[in-house]
PDB file of all heavy atoms in Angstrom:
ATOM      1  N   LYS O   1      43.162  43.961 -15.498  1.00 95.00           N
ATOM      2  CA  LYS O   1      43.609  44.188 -16.876  1.00 95.00           C
ATOM      3  C   LYS O   1      43.901  45.658 -17.138  1.00 95.00           C
ATOM      4  O   LYS O   1      44.897  46.008 -17.786  1.00 95.00           O
ATOM      5  CB  LYS O   1      42.560  43.680 -17.858  1.00 95.00           C
ATOM      6  CG  LYS O   1      42.927  43.901 -19.320  1.00 95.00           C
ATOM      7  CD  LYS O   1      41.904  43.293 -20.258  1.00 95.00           C
ATOM      8  CE  LYS O   1      42.319  43.487 -21.708  1.00 95.00           C
ATOM      9  NZ  LYS O   1      41.362  42.842 -22.651  1.00 95.00           N
ATOM     10  N   PHE O   2      43.026  46.523 -16.642  1.00 96.00           N
ATOM     11  CA  PHE O   2      43.165  47.953 -16.909  1.00 96.00           C
ATOM     12  C   PHE O   2      43.794  48.720 -15.743  1.00 96.00           C
ATOM     13  O   PHE O   2      43.818  49.949 -15.761  1.00 96.00           O
ATOM     14  CB  PHE O   2      41.799  48.548 -17.250  1.00 96.00           C
ATOM     15  CG  PHE O   2      41.208  48.008 -18.532  1.00 96.00           C
ATOM     16  CD1 PHE O   2      40.014  47.302 -18.515  1.00 96.00           C
ATOM     17  CD2 PHE O   2      41.847  48.201 -19.738  1.00 96.00           C
ATOM     18  CE1 PHE O   2      39.454  46.801 -19.684  1.00 96.00           C
ATOM     19  CE2 PHE O   2      41.307  47.707 -20.927  1.00 96.00           C
ATOM     20  CZ  PHE O   2      40.112  47.002 -20.900  1.00 96.00           C
ATOM     21  N   ASN O   3      44.281  47.975 -14.736  1.00 96.00           N
ATOM     22  CA  ASN O   3      44.963  48.584 -13.587  1.00 96.00           C
ATOM     23  C   ASN O   3      44.072  49.627 -12.913  1.00 96.00           C
ATOM     24  O   ASN O   3      44.466  50.792 -12.724  1.00 96.00           O
ATOM     25  CB  ASN O   3      46.282  49.211 -14.023  1.00 96.00           C
ATOM     26  CG  ASN O   3      47.174  49.546 -12.842  1.00 96.00           C
ATOM     27  OD1 ASN O   3      47.098  48.905 -11.781  1.00 96.00           O
ATOM     28  ND2 ASN O   3      48.023  50.547 -12.999  1.00 96.00           N
ATOM     29  N   LEU O   4      42.871  49.208 -12.543  1.00 97.00           N
ATOM     30  CA  LEU O   4      41.895  50.101 -11.948  1.00 97.00           C
ATOM     31  C   LEU O   4      41.630  49.746 -10.493  1.00 97.00           C
ATOM     32  O   LEU O   4      41.731  48.590 -10.093  1.00 97.00           O
ATOM     33  CB  LEU O   4      40.562  50.005 -12.710  1.00 97.00           C
ATOM     34  CG  LEU O   4      40.576  50.420 -14.182  1.00 97.00           C
ATOM     35  CD1 LEU O   4      39.302  49.965 -14.866  1.00 97.00           C
ATOM     36  CD2 LEU O   4      40.754  51.930 -14.304  1.00 97.00           C
ATOM     37  N   LEU O   5      41.295  50.759  -9.701  1.00 97.00           N
ATOM     38  CA  LEU O   5      40.832  50.558  -8.337  1.00 97.00           C
ATOM     39  C   LEU O   5      39.297  50.538  -8.338  1.00 97.00           C
ATOM     40  O   LEU O   5      38.671  51.124  -9.231  1.00 97.00           O
ATOM     41  CB  LEU O   5      41.339  51.673  -7.431  1.00 97.00           C
ATOM     42  CG  LEU O   5      42.857  51.763  -7.278  1.00 97.00           C
ATOM     43  CD1 LEU O   5      43.230  53.012  -6.492  1.00 97.00           C
ATOM     44  CD2 LEU O   5      43.399  50.510  -6.605  1.00 97.00           C
ATOM     45  N   PRO O   6      38.684  49.887  -7.358  1.00 96.00           N
ATOM     46  CA  PRO O   6      37.214  49.779  -7.370  1.00 96.00           C
ATOM     47  C   PRO O   6      36.489  51.116  -7.495  1.00 96.00           C
ATOM     48  O   PRO O   6      35.509  51.230  -8.249  1.00 96.00           O
ATOM     49  CB  PRO O   6      36.911  49.111  -6.023  1.00 96.00           C
ATOM     50  CG  PRO O   6      38.117  48.276  -5.748  1.00 96.00           C
ATOM     51  CD  PRO O   6      39.267  49.099  -6.247  1.00 96.00           C
ATOM     52  N   HIS O   7      36.958  52.151  -6.778  1.00 95.00           N
ATOM     53  CA  HIS O   7      36.247  53.433  -6.817  1.00 95.00           C
ATOM     54  C   HIS O   7      36.401  54.144  -8.158  1.00 95.00           C
ATOM     55  O   HIS O   7      35.735  55.157  -8.409  1.00 95.00           O
ATOM     56  CB  HIS O   7      36.743  54.353  -5.686  1.00 95.00           C
ATOM     57  CG  HIS O   7      38.138  54.854  -5.872  1.00 95.00           C
ATOM     58  ND1 HIS O   7      39.244  54.163  -5.437  1.00 95.00           N
ATOM     59  CD2 HIS O   7      38.608  55.988  -6.463  1.00 95.00           C
ATOM     60  CE1 HIS O   7      40.334  54.839  -5.730  1.00 95.00           C
ATOM     61  NE2 HIS O   7      39.975  55.946  -6.362  1.00 95.00           N
ATOM     62  N   GLU O   8      37.254  53.608  -9.035  1.00 97.00           N
ATOM     63  CA  GLU O   8      37.439  54.191 -10.365  1.00 97.00           C
ATOM     64  C   GLU O   8      36.533  53.538 -11.407  1.00 97.00           C
ATOM     65  O   GLU O   8      36.595  53.879 -12.580  1.00 97.00           O
ATOM     66  CB  GLU O   8      38.901  54.032 -10.799  1.00 97.00           C
ATOM     67  CG  GLU O   8      39.882  54.786  -9.912  1.00 97.00           C
ATOM     68  CD  GLU O   8      41.321  54.512 -10.259  1.00 97.00           C
ATOM     69  OE1 GLU O   8      41.642  53.363 -10.662  1.00 97.00           O
ATOM     70  OE2 GLU O   8      42.151  55.436 -10.124  1.00 97.00           O
ATOM     71  N   VAL O   9      35.683  52.636 -10.960  1.00 97.00           N
ATOM     72  CA  VAL O   9      34.827  51.870 -11.871  1.00 97.00           C
ATOM     73  C   VAL O   9      33.358  52.083 -11.496  1.00 97.00           C
ATOM     74  O   VAL O   9      32.987  52.031 -10.321  1.00 97.00           O
ATOM     75  CB  VAL O   9      35.155  50.366 -11.801  1.00 97.00           C
ATOM     76  CG1 VAL O   9      34.262  49.582 -12.762  1.00 97.00           C
ATOM     77  CG2 VAL O   9      36.627  50.116 -12.110  1.00 97.00           C
ATOM     78  N   THR O  10      32.513  52.285 -12.496  1.00 98.00           N
ATOM     79  CA  THR O  10      31.071  52.363 -12.300  1.00 98.00           C
ATOM     80  C   THR O  10      30.408  51.231 -13.070  1.00 98.00           C
ATOM     81  O   THR O  10      30.678  51.040 -14.265  1.00 98.00           O
ATOM     82  CB  THR O  10      30.505  53.710 -12.785  1.00 98.00           C
ATOM     83  OG1 THR O  10      31.049  54.760 -11.993  1.00 98.00           O
ATOM     84  CG2 THR O  10      28.984  53.742 -12.671  1.00 98.00           C
ATOM     85  N   VAL O  11      29.572  50.480 -12.385  1.00 98.00           N
ATOM     86  CA  VAL O  11      28.829  49.381 -13.004  1.00 98.00           C
ATOM     87  C   VAL O  11      27.394  49.848 -13.250  1.00 98.00           C
ATOM     88  O   VAL O  11      26.729  50.330 -12.327  1.00 98.00           O
ATOM     89  CB  VAL O  11      28.825  48.124 -12.108  1.00 98.00           C
ATOM     90  CG1 VAL O  11      28.017  47.009 -12.762  1.00 98.00           C
ATOM     91  CG2 VAL O  11      30.253  47.666 -11.853  1.00 98.00           C
ATOM     92  N   ILE O  12      26.926  49.670 -14.480  1.00 98.00           N
ATOM     93  CA  ILE O  12      25.609  50.166 -14.875  1.00 98.00           C
ATOM     94  C   ILE O  12      24.790  49.015 -15.438  1.00 98.00           C
ATOM     95  O   ILE O  12      25.208  48.354 -16.403  1.00 98.00           O
ATOM     96  CB  ILE O  12      25.743  51.274 -15.933  1.00 98.00           C
ATOM     97  CG1 ILE O  12      26.641  52.394 -15.401  1.00 98.00           C
ATOM     98  CG2 ILE O  12      24.373  51.812 -16.343  1.00 98.00           C
ATOM     99  CD1 ILE O  12      27.266  53.226 -16.481  1.00 98.00           C
ATOM    100  N   GLY O  13      23.646  48.746 -14.829  1.00 96.00           N
ATOM    101  CA  GLY O  13      22.807  47.644 -15.311  1.00 96.00           C
ATOM    102  C   GLY O  13      21.486  47.609 -14.571  1.00 96.00           C
ATOM    103  O   GLY O  13      21.228  48.416 -13.669  1.00 96.00           O
ATOM    104  N   ASP O  14      20.654  46.639 -14.917  1.00 95.00           N
ATOM    105  CA  ASP O  14      19.322  46.537 -14.303  1.00 95.00           C
ATOM    106  C   ASP O  14      19.240  45.479 -13.217  1.00 95.00           C
ATOM    107  O   ASP O  14      18.386  45.545 -12.343  1.00 95.00           O
ATOM    108  CB  ASP O  14      18.270  46.224 -15.373  1.00 95.00           C
ATOM    109  CG  ASP O  14      18.493  44.842 -15.994  1.00 95.00           C
ATOM    110  OD1 ASP O  14      19.574  44.615 -16.562  1.00 95.00           O
ATOM    111  OD2 ASP O  14      17.597  43.985 -15.886  1.00 95.00           O
ATOM    112  N   ARG O  15      20.144  44.490 -13.259  1.00 91.00           N
ATOM    113  CA  ARG O  15      20.012  43.327 -12.400  1.00 91.00           C
ATOM    114  C   ARG O  15      20.640  43.534 -11.025  1.00 91.00           C
ATOM    115  O   ARG O  15      21.857  43.546 -10.870  1.00 91.00           O
ATOM    116  CB  ARG O  15      20.661  42.099 -13.055  1.00 91.00           C
ATOM    117  CG  ARG O  15      19.983  41.600 -14.311  1.00 91.00           C
ATOM    118  CD  ARG O  15      18.756  40.759 -13.980  1.00 91.00           C
ATOM    119  NE  ARG O  15      19.092  39.616 -13.152  1.00 91.00           N
ATOM    120  CZ  ARG O  15      19.578  38.477 -13.626  1.00 91.00           C
ATOM    121  NH1 ARG O  15      19.805  38.320 -14.907  1.00 91.00           N
ATOM    122  NH2 ARG O  15      19.835  37.476 -12.789  1.00 91.00           N
ATOM    123  N   ALA O  16      19.779  43.653 -10.013  1.00 92.00           N
ATOM    124  CA  ALA O  16      20.271  43.809  -8.644  1.00 92.00           C
ATOM    125  C   ALA O  16      21.003  42.565  -8.171  1.00 92.00           C
ATOM    126  O   ALA O  16      21.933  42.654  -7.354  1.00 92.00           O
ATOM    127  CB  ALA O  16      19.108  44.122  -7.706  1.00 92.00           C
ATOM    128  N   ASP O  17      20.598  41.398  -8.666  1.00 89.00           N
ATOM    129  CA  ASP O  17      21.165  40.134  -8.208  1.00 89.00           C
ATOM    130  C   ASP O  17      22.339  39.668  -9.050  1.00 89.00           C
ATOM    131  O   ASP O  17      22.833  38.562  -8.876  1.00 89.00           O
ATOM    132  CB  ASP O  17      20.081  39.049  -8.192  1.00 89.00           C
ATOM    133  CG  ASP O  17      19.499  38.793  -9.580  1.00 89.00           C
ATOM    134  OD1 ASP O  17      19.673  39.645 -10.484  1.00 89.00           O
ATOM    135  OD2 ASP O  17      18.864  37.735  -9.772  1.00 89.00           O
ATOM    136  N   ASP O  18      22.815  40.505  -9.953  1.00 89.00           N
ATOM    137  CA  ASP O  18      23.892  40.077 -10.849  1.00 89.00           C
ATOM    138  C   ASP O  18      25.005  41.123 -10.871  1.00 89.00           C
ATOM    139  O   ASP O  18      25.806  41.193  -9.945  1.00 89.00           O
ATOM    140  CB  ASP O  18      23.317  39.817 -12.243  1.00 89.00           C
ATOM    141  CG  ASP O  18      24.275  39.065 -13.145  1.00 89.00           C
ATOM    142  OD1 ASP O  18      25.230  38.453 -12.633  1.00 89.00           O
ATOM    143  OD2 ASP O  18      24.062  39.068 -14.377  1.00 89.00           O
ATOM    144  N   GLU O  19      25.055  41.933 -11.925  1.00 94.00           N
ATOM    145  CA  GLU O  19      26.164  42.867 -12.057  1.00 94.00           C
ATOM    146  C   GLU O  19      26.203  43.918 -10.951  1.00 94.00           C
ATOM    147  O   GLU O  19      27.282  44.311 -10.495  1.00 94.00           O
ATOM    148  CB  GLU O  19      26.146  43.562 -13.429  1.00 94.00           C
ATOM    149  CG  GLU O  19      24.953  44.458 -13.702  1.00 94.00           C
ATOM    150  CD  GLU O  19      23.757  43.726 -14.264  1.00 94.00           C
ATOM    151  OE1 GLU O  19      23.880  42.518 -14.571  1.00 94.00           O
ATOM    152  OE2 GLU O  19      22.711  44.366 -14.404  1.00 94.00           O
ATOM    153  N   LEU O  20      25.037  44.361 -10.488  1.00 96.00           N
ATOM    154  CA  LEU O  20      25.018  45.426  -9.487  1.00 96.00           C
ATOM    155  C   LEU O  20      25.519  44.959  -8.124  1.00 96.00           C
ATOM    156  O   LEU O  20      26.329  45.638  -7.485  1.00 96.00           O
ATOM    157  CB  LEU O  20      23.612  46.015  -9.371  1.00 96.00           C
ATOM    158  CG  LEU O  20      23.124  46.788 -10.604  1.00 96.00           C
ATOM    159  CD1 LEU O  20      21.676  47.219 -10.426  1.00 96.00           C
ATOM    160  CD2 LEU O  20      24.016  47.993 -10.885  1.00 96.00           C
ATOM    161  N   ILE O  21      25.060  43.810  -7.664  1.00 96.00           N
ATOM    162  CA  ILE O  21      25.528  43.324  -6.368  1.00 96.00           C
ATOM    163  C   ILE O  21      27.006  42.965  -6.432  1.00 96.00           C
ATOM    164  O   ILE O  21      27.752  43.163  -5.467  1.00 96.00           O
ATOM    165  CB  ILE O  21      24.680  42.116  -5.878  1.00 96.00           C
ATOM    166  CG1 ILE O  21      25.022  41.785  -4.431  1.00 96.00           C
ATOM    167  CG2 ILE O  21      24.869  40.908  -6.773  1.00 96.00           C
ATOM    168  CD1 ILE O  21      24.721  42.881  -3.445  1.00 96.00           C
ATOM    169  N   ALA O  22      27.451  42.443  -7.576  1.00 95.00           N
ATOM    170  CA  ALA O  22      28.873  42.127  -7.740  1.00 95.00           C
ATOM    171  C   ALA O  22      29.716  43.397  -7.639  1.00 95.00           C
ATOM    172  O   ALA O  22      30.743  43.436  -6.956  1.00 95.00           O
ATOM    173  CB  ALA O  22      29.115  41.432  -9.075  1.00 95.00           C
ATOM    174  N   GLY O  23      29.270  44.455  -8.323  1.00 96.00           N
ATOM    175  CA  GLY O  23      29.994  45.715  -8.262  1.00 96.00           C
ATOM    176  C   GLY O  23      29.994  46.312  -6.871  1.00 96.00           C
ATOM    177  O   GLY O  23      31.018  46.820  -6.401  1.00 96.00           O
ATOM    178  N   LYS O  24      28.860  46.251  -6.202  1.00 97.00           N
ATOM    179  CA  LYS O  24      28.753  46.819  -4.857  1.00 97.00           C
ATOM    180  C   LYS O  24      29.682  46.098  -3.884  1.00 97.00           C
ATOM    181  O   LYS O  24      30.363  46.725  -3.062  1.00 97.00           O
ATOM    182  CB  LYS O  24      27.314  46.731  -4.365  1.00 97.00           C
ATOM    183  CG  LYS O  24      27.083  47.375  -3.001  1.00 97.00           C
ATOM    184  CD  LYS O  24      25.623  47.361  -2.624  1.00 97.00           C
ATOM    185  CE  LYS O  24      25.394  48.018  -1.256  1.00 97.00           C
ATOM    186  NZ  LYS O  24      25.793  49.438  -1.265  1.00 97.00           N
ATOM    187  N   GLU O  25      29.711  44.767  -3.961  1.00 96.00           N
ATOM    188  CA  GLU O  25      30.561  43.995  -3.058  1.00 96.00           C
ATOM    189  C   GLU O  25      32.043  44.270  -3.286  1.00 96.00           C
ATOM    190  O   GLU O  25      32.857  44.108  -2.377  1.00 96.00           O
ATOM    191  CB  GLU O  25      30.262  42.499  -3.218  1.00 96.00           C
ATOM    192  CG  GLU O  25      28.892  42.105  -2.670  1.00 96.00           C
ATOM    193  CD  GLU O  25      28.565  40.646  -2.905  1.00 96.00           C
ATOM    194  OE1 GLU O  25      29.341  39.961  -3.622  1.00 96.00           O
ATOM    195  OE2 GLU O  25      27.529  40.183  -2.387  1.00 96.00           O
ATOM    196  N   LEU O  26      32.385  44.699  -4.483  1.00 97.00           N
ATOM    197  CA  LEU O  26      33.779  45.015  -4.794  1.00 97.00           C
ATOM    198  C   LEU O  26      34.131  46.466  -4.472  1.00 97.00           C
ATOM    199  O   LEU O  26      35.289  46.863  -4.581  1.00 97.00           O
ATOM    200  CB  LEU O  26      34.058  44.730  -6.269  1.00 97.00           C
ATOM    201  CG  LEU O  26      34.087  43.258  -6.672  1.00 97.00           C
ATOM    202  CD1 LEU O  26      34.119  43.118  -8.192  1.00 97.00           C
ATOM    203  CD2 LEU O  26      35.294  42.550  -6.056  1.00 97.00           C
ATOM    204  N   GLY O  27      33.135  47.265  -4.093  1.00 97.00           N
ATOM    205  CA  GLY O  27      33.397  48.662  -3.768  1.00 97.00           C
ATOM    206  C   GLY O  27      33.308  49.598  -4.957  1.00 97.00           C
ATOM    207  O   GLY O  27      33.769  50.749  -4.890  1.00 97.00           O
ATOM    208  N   MET O  28      32.700  49.139  -6.052  1.00 98.00           N
ATOM    209  CA  MET O  28      32.524  49.987  -7.227  1.00 98.00           C
ATOM    210  C   MET O  28      31.274  50.854  -7.073  1.00 98.00           C
ATOM    211  O   MET O  28      30.409  50.582  -6.250  1.00 98.00           O
ATOM    212  CB  MET O  28      32.383  49.107  -8.476  1.00 98.00           C
ATOM    213  CG  MET O  28      33.601  48.257  -8.771  1.00 98.00           C
ATOM    214  SD  MET O  28      33.295  47.129 -10.172  1.00 98.00           S
ATOM    215  CE  MET O  28      34.934  46.428 -10.378  1.00 98.00           C
ATOM    216  N   VAL O  29      31.187  51.901  -7.870  1.00 98.00           N
ATOM    217  CA  VAL O  29      29.976  52.715  -7.929  1.00 98.00           C
ATOM    218  C   VAL O  29      28.930  51.940  -8.725  1.00 98.00           C
ATOM    219  O   VAL O  29      29.237  51.334  -9.760  1.00 98.00           O
ATOM    220  CB  VAL O  29      30.249  54.074  -8.602  1.00 98.00           C
ATOM    221  CG1 VAL O  29      28.970  54.899  -8.693  1.00 98.00           C
ATOM    222  CG2 VAL O  29      31.327  54.837  -7.837  1.00 98.00           C
ATOM    223  N   THR O  30      27.690  51.934  -8.255  1.00 98.00           N
ATOM    224  CA  THR O  30      26.641  51.164  -8.915  1.00 98.00           C
ATOM    225  C   THR O  30      25.491  52.058  -9.349  1.00 98.00           C
ATOM    226  O   THR O  30      25.049  52.938  -8.605  1.00 98.00           O
ATOM    227  CB  THR O  30      26.100  50.059  -7.989  1.00 98.00           C
ATOM    228  OG1 THR O  30      25.742  50.638  -6.722  1.00 98.00           O
ATOM    229  CG2 THR O  30      27.166  48.992  -7.762  1.00 98.00           C
ATOM    230  N   VAL O  31      25.009  51.816 -10.573  1.00 98.00           N
ATOM    231  CA  VAL O  31      23.906  52.590 -11.144  1.00 98.00           C
ATOM    232  C   VAL O  31      22.879  51.615 -11.710  1.00 98.00           C
ATOM    233  O   VAL O  31      23.184  50.846 -12.627  1.00 98.00           O
ATOM    234  CB  VAL O  31      24.397  53.528 -12.271  1.00 98.00           C
ATOM    235  CG1 VAL O  31      23.220  54.318 -12.849  1.00 98.00           C
ATOM    236  CG2 VAL O  31      25.484  54.468 -11.769  1.00 98.00           C
ATOM    237  N   GLN O  32      21.677  51.639 -11.170  1.00 98.00           N
ATOM    238  CA  GLN O  32      20.622  50.774 -11.698  1.00 98.00           C
ATOM    239  C   GLN O  32      19.810  51.518 -12.750  1.00 98.00           C
ATOM    240  O   GLN O  32      19.332  52.629 -12.524  1.00 98.00           O
ATOM    241  CB  GLN O  32      19.683  50.286 -10.593  1.00 98.00           C
ATOM    242  CG  GLN O  32      18.674  49.257 -11.108  1.00 98.00           C
ATOM    243  CD  GLN O  32      17.717  48.762 -10.045  1.00 98.00           C
ATOM    244  OE1 GLN O  32      17.433  49.459  -9.072  1.00 98.00           O
ATOM    245  NE2 GLN O  32      17.204  47.555 -10.233  1.00 98.00           N
ATOM    246  N   THR O  33      19.659  50.888 -13.910  1.00 97.00           N
ATOM    247  CA  THR O  33      18.840  51.454 -14.979  1.00 97.00           C
ATOM    248  C   THR O  33      17.396  51.008 -14.787  1.00 97.00           C
ATOM    249  O   THR O  33      17.096  49.816 -14.838  1.00 97.00           O
ATOM    250  CB  THR O  33      19.344  50.997 -16.362  1.00 97.00           C
ATOM    251  OG1 THR O  33      19.459  49.564 -16.381  1.00 97.00           O
ATOM    252  CG2 THR O  33      20.699  51.597 -16.672  1.00 97.00           C
ATOM    253  N   LEU O  34      16.523  51.942 -14.576  1.00 96.00           N
ATOM    254  CA  LEU O  34      15.113  51.636 -14.303  1.00 96.00           C
ATOM    255  C   LEU O  34      14.308  51.654 -15.596  1.00 96.00           C
ATOM    256  O   LEU O  34      13.448  52.516 -15.817  1.00 96.00           O
ATOM    257  CB  LEU O  34      14.560  52.635 -13.288  1.00 96.00           C
ATOM    258  CG  LEU O  34      15.283  52.655 -11.934  1.00 96.00           C
ATOM    259  CD1 LEU O  34      14.683  53.718 -11.036  1.00 96.00           C
ATOM    260  CD2 LEU O  34      15.213  51.282 -11.263  1.00 96.00           C
ATOM    261  N   ARG O  35      14.600  50.670 -16.434  1.00 94.00           N
ATOM    262  CA  ARG O  35      13.848  50.521 -17.681  1.00 94.00           C
ATOM    263  C   ARG O  35      12.440  50.002 -17.361  1.00 94.00           C
ATOM    264  O   ARG O  35      12.191  49.501 -16.252  1.00 94.00           O
ATOM    265  CB  ARG O  35      14.568  49.551 -18.614  1.00 94.00           C
ATOM    266  CG  ARG O  35      15.974  49.965 -19.010  1.00 94.00           C
ATOM    267  CD  ARG O  35      16.003  51.291 -19.747  1.00 94.00           C
ATOM    268  NE  ARG O  35      17.321  51.570 -20.315  1.00 94.00           N
ATOM    269  CZ  ARG O  35      17.628  52.695 -20.946  1.00 94.00           C
ATOM    270  NH1 ARG O  35      16.725  53.661 -21.070  1.00 94.00           N
ATOM    271  NH2 ARG O  35      18.847  52.872 -21.436  1.00 94.00           N
ATOM    272  N   PRO O  36      11.512  50.117 -18.305  1.00 90.00           N
ATOM    273  CA  PRO O  36      10.161  49.603 -18.067  1.00 90.00           C
ATOM    274  C   PRO O  36      10.179  48.153 -17.595  1.00 90.00           C
ATOM    275  O   PRO O  36      10.833  47.303 -18.205  1.00 90.00           O
ATOM    276  CB  PRO O  36       9.495  49.736 -19.445  1.00 90.00           C
ATOM    277  CG  PRO O  36      10.194  50.899 -20.069  1.00 90.00           C
ATOM    278  CD  PRO O  36      11.621  50.789 -19.622  1.00 90.00           C
ATOM    279  N   GLY O  37       9.518  47.890 -16.488  1.00 85.00           N
ATOM    280  CA  GLY O  37       9.465  46.537 -15.948  1.00 85.00           C
ATOM    281  C   GLY O  37      10.534  46.221 -14.938  1.00 85.00           C
ATOM    282  O   GLY O  37      10.472  45.186 -14.268  1.00 85.00           O
ATOM    283  N   VAL O  38      11.535  47.082 -14.804  1.00 91.00           N
ATOM    284  CA  VAL O  38      12.609  46.859 -13.839  1.00 91.00           C
ATOM    285  C   VAL O  38      12.185  47.397 -12.478  1.00 91.00           C
ATOM    286  O   VAL O  38      11.751  48.550 -12.364  1.00 91.00           O
ATOM    287  CB  VAL O  38      13.921  47.539 -14.285  1.00 91.00           C
ATOM    288  CG1 VAL O  38      14.987  47.397 -13.208  1.00 91.00           C
ATOM    289  CG2 VAL O  38      14.410  46.941 -15.595  1.00 91.00           C
ATOM    290  N   VAL O  39      12.309  46.574 -11.460  1.00 91.00           N
ATOM    291  CA  VAL O  39      11.932  46.974 -10.104  1.00 91.00           C
ATOM    292  C   VAL O  39      13.139  47.607  -9.410  1.00 91.00           C
ATOM    293  O   VAL O  39      14.231  47.031  -9.397  1.00 91.00           O
ATOM    294  CB  VAL O  39      11.436  45.757  -9.290  1.00 91.00           C
ATOM    295  CG1 VAL O  39      11.105  46.167  -7.859  1.00 91.00           C
ATOM    296  CG2 VAL O  39      10.216  45.131  -9.968  1.00 91.00           C
ATOM    297  N   LYS O  40      12.941  48.768  -8.842  1.00 96.00           N
ATOM    298  CA  LYS O  40      14.028  49.446  -8.138  1.00 96.00           C
ATOM    299  C   LYS O  40      14.457  48.623  -6.924  1.00 96.00           C
ATOM    300  O   LYS O  40      13.631  48.182  -6.130  1.00 96.00           O
ATOM    301  CB  LYS O  40      13.570  50.832  -7.683  1.00 96.00           C
ATOM    302  CG  LYS O  40      14.662  51.628  -6.981  1.00 96.00           C
ATOM    303  CD  LYS O  40      14.166  53.018  -6.596  1.00 96.00           C
ATOM    304  CE  LYS O  40      15.238  53.823  -5.884  1.00 96.00           C
ATOM    305  NZ  LYS O  40      14.767  55.180  -5.519  1.00 96.00           N
ATOM    306  N   ALA O  41      15.758  48.418  -6.805  1.00 96.00           N
ATOM    307  CA  ALA O  41      16.312  47.650  -5.693  1.00 96.00           C
ATOM    308  C   ALA O  41      17.114  48.578  -4.793  1.00 96.00           C
ATOM    309  O   ALA O  41      17.986  49.306  -5.267  1.00 96.00           O
ATOM    310  CB  ALA O  41      17.200  46.522  -6.219  1.00 96.00           C
ATOM    311  N   GLU O  42      16.801  48.580  -3.526  1.00 95.00           N
ATOM    312  CA  GLU O  42      17.492  49.469  -2.600  1.00 95.00           C
ATOM    313  C   GLU O  42      18.950  49.043  -2.383  1.00 95.00           C
ATOM    314  O   GLU O  42      19.298  47.879  -2.534  1.00 95.00           O
ATOM    315  CB  GLU O  42      16.763  49.475  -1.253  1.00 95.00           C
ATOM    316  CG  GLU O  42      15.325  49.980  -1.323  1.00 95.00           C
ATOM    317  CD  GLU O  42      15.229  51.402  -1.821  1.00 95.00           C
ATOM    318  OE1 GLU O  42      16.149  52.202  -1.536  1.00 95.00           O
ATOM    319  OE2 GLU O  42      14.235  51.735  -2.504  1.00 95.00           O
ATOM    320  N   GLY O  43      19.761  50.033  -2.045  1.00 96.00           N
ATOM    321  CA  GLY O  43      21.133  49.723  -1.651  1.00 96.00           C
ATOM    322  C   GLY O  43      22.198  50.094  -2.649  1.00 96.00           C
ATOM    323  O   GLY O  43      23.393  49.925  -2.373  1.00 96.00           O
TER     324      GLY O  43
END
C-alpha cells in the first residue's frame, strides 16, 4: 500500500510469536518492547 521495502519498515511490539516473528521473516527491523511481564525473546 505504501510502496515500502522490508528494510524501510520497523515492527515494534511485545509478541515474539506474532508481529515480531512476522516482521523478522519478511526482513523488517524488529523491536521488542520489554514491558512488565514480557519475557525477552532472542533473535
